[in-house]
C-alpha cells in the first residue's frame, strides 16, 4: 500500500485557508484533517481527539522535549502544536493528511517533515487581500496596515513552498489543490518503490 | 501571460500512448499536439504542418546541423524529428504542447529541454503489457519476447521522468495527466515570476 501524503496548506491571514480547507474536506472525504494539540480549555461541544488533543501544560512541555510535535507556538498563554505521531500513523495507514497552518508554522513543519507537499494559498492581488481583511469590519486601520505588512513578508517566503495556488474562487482553488494531490501521488520518485512489485526483477534507477 | 508547458508523454511500446494522447486532446482542446518533421512521402490526405512537416533529406539534415530539432531518429531510411521552433512558438503563445514519443526520444528531448514535464505511462503489470502486445495478433513469439525485454529496459529508465502514470483505464490515466498539467502550472518556481505583478515591490525568495 502507498503511504499517504502530508499536504500543508498555508498562506497569509485573510486569504481564506480555513474556507478552502473545509470545502476540500467535503470534496475529498478520505482526506484526514491534522488534529492539533493545545493547552487551552475545551469549549462547549469540543471533543478530545476530534477538534483538538487537549493537554496539560506539563504534558505539552513533555511533548516538546520528546520532539513529538512537528511545530508548536504559544498564543495568549496557551500552547498549540501539531503532533507528529497522529500525522505519521495516518500516513502509514495510506491516507493523506491536510494541515492548515500559518506561514511561520508551515516553515517549521518543513524542517521536520521535508517530504510534505507545501501549498501556499495566494490572494489574487494585495488589493483583494486588503479588502478581505477590511471587509471583516473588526480591524482598526493600524491593524490592517500591520497585517498587510506581514502578508507581504509572508508572500516573500513563497520560494520555500512547492506550489502556489491563487484563491480567486473557492471551487477553482480546491480543484487546483485536488490536482496537486493526484499529481503528487504520480511523482516518479514516489513511484519507484512500485517497481519491486513488477514480476520481473528490475533495478531502480 | 504564462508560458505554456511542454508535456512529454512516453512509455514502452504497447502501453497505449497513442490512445491516451488522443483522448487527452479531446478532453483538453487547448492542448497543442507537437507536429513532427519527416522525410517520408506524405500519405493520401496528410497535410503539411498538421500531420507532419514534410521535408527533403537536405532540409532535414540542415535542421540537424542548425540544432533545430529537440530529437531525431532514422527509421527504415526516413528521418523523423521534433522541430524546436514549433514547440517554442506555441509555448510562448501561452499554450501547452503535448509530445508523444518513445522512451529513447524522450530522454533526448530532456537533454535539450529539461524544463519539460516528463510523464512515463506505465502498464498495470508486465503480464498486462504482454497481453496487449500479444493481443494485436501480428507479432511472432520472438518479436514479443524482444519487445518485452526492451519494455523492461525502458521501465528501468523511469527515474529520469517526473511522473509515472499507470494506464489501467484510459479515462483514469487521462485524469491523472490532466491533474499533473494543472499542478505543474501551480508549481512555486513557475509562479515566482508572478510576484512582480503584485502592486507592492516584493523580493523574490
Amino acid at each position: 500500500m502507498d503511504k499517504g501524503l502530508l499536504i500543508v496548506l498555508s498562506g497569509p491571514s485573510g486569504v481564506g485557508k480555513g474556507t478552502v480547507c473545509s470545502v476540500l474536506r467535503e470534496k475529498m472525504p478520505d482526506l484526514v484533517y491534522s488534529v492539533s494539540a493545545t493547552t487551552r480549555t475545551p469549549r462547549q461541544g469540543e471533543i478530545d481527539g476530534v477538534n483538538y488533543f487537549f493537554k496539560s501544560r506539563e504534558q505539552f512541555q513533555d511533548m516538546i522535549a520528546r520532539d513529538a510535535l512537528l511545530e508548536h507556538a504559544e498564543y495568549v498563554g496557551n500552547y498549540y502544536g501539531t503532533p507528529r505521531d497522529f500525522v505519521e500513523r495516518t500516513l502509514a495507514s495510506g491516507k493523506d493528511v491536510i494541515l492548515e497552518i500559518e506561514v511561520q508554522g508551515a516553515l517549521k513543519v518543513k524542517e521536520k517533515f521535508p517530504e510534505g507537499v507545501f501549498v501556499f494559498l495566494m490572494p489574487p492581488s494585495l488589493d483583494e487581500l486588503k479588502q478581505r481583511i477590511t471587509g471583516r469590519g473588526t480591524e482598526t486601520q493600524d491593524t490592517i496596515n500591520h497585517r498587510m505588512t506581514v502578508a507581504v513578508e509572508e508572500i516573500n517566503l513563497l520560494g520555500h513552498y512547492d506550489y502556489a495556488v491563487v484563491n480567486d474562487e473557492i471551487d477553482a482553488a480546491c480543484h487546483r489543490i485536488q490536482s496537486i494531490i493526484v499529481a503528487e501521488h504520480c511523482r516518479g520518485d514516489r513511484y519507484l518503490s512500485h517497481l519491486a512489485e513488477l514480476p520481473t526483477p528490475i533495478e531502480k534507477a
Side-chain angles (χ1 to χ4, degrees), chain A:
Chain A
M1 184 175 53
D2 275 8
K3 231 187 122 184
L5 298 172
L6 175 63
I7 316 297
V8 180
L9 181 65
S10 191
S13 167
V15 77
K17 292 188 289 296
T19 312
V20 166
C21 192
S22 300
V23 174
L24 206 55
R25 287 170 66 200
E26 278 171 35
K27 287 175 186 274
M28 304 183 81
D30 286 342
L31 192 60
V32 177
Y33 187 75
S34 168
V35 178
S36 297
T38 184
T39 56
R40 80 153 166 73
T41 312
R43 293 183 191 136
Q44 182 91 40
E46 284 184 338
I47 300 163
D48 186 50
V50 174
N51 304 93
Y52 284 95
F53 294 109
F54 294 102
K55 303 286 178 188
S56 69
R57 270 191 96 75
E58 293 64 38
Q59 287 173 321
F60 202 102
Q61 282 162 343
D62 179 57
M63 291 176 84
I64 297 172
R66 286 187 290 112
D67 197 26
L69 297 165
L70 291 179
E71 57 77 41
H72 70 275
E74 199 166 357
Y75 295 111
V76 279
N78 286 309
Y79 282 124
Y80 296 83
T82 304
R84 182 197 288 270
D85 183 51
F86 176 81
V87 168
E88 291 195 338
R89 272 186 292 115
T90 312
L91 299 182
S93 80
K95 292 198 170 174
D96 296 332
V97 175
I98 190 158
L99 169 60
E100 178 214 330
I101 190 167
E102 35 68 54
V103 174
Q104 296 300 334
L107 296 184
K108 287 186 202 165
V109 173
K110 196 179 177 190
E111 284 171 25
K112 298 203 179 181
F113 208 90
E115 66 269 42
V117 177
F118 292 80
V119 178
F120 195 96
L121 203 61
M122 285 283 287
S125 69
L126 288 179
D127 281 348
E128 173 67 25
L129 181 64
K130 195 169 182 175
Q131 277 173 25
R132 289 183 196 178
I133 292 172
T134 312
R136 293 179 179 177
T138 53
E139 313 280 19
T140 66
Q141 191 58 51
D142 273 2
T143 310
I144 292 168
N145 288 344
H146 174 69
R147 290 184 55 186
M148 288 304 294
T149 306
V150 172
V152 170
E153 286 168 6
E154 289 177 340
I155 293 171
N156 273 320
L157 298 170
L158 175 56
H160 297 279
Y161 285 75
D162 300 305
Y163 297 96
V165 167
V166 179
N167 187 21
D168 45 1
E169 202 270 313
I170 290 167
D171 279 337
C174 288
H175 175 251
R176 290 177 198 124
I177 297 170
Q178 287 181 286
S179 296
I180 288 167
I181 296 172
V182 171
E184 282 284 329
H185 277 286
C186 295
R187 278 264 303 277
D189 45 0
R190 300 194 199 279
Y191 195 83
L192 285 173
S193 61
H194 280 268
L195 288 187
E197 296 167 21
L198 285 173
T200 307
I202 285 181
E203 287 175 47
K204 297 188 184 181

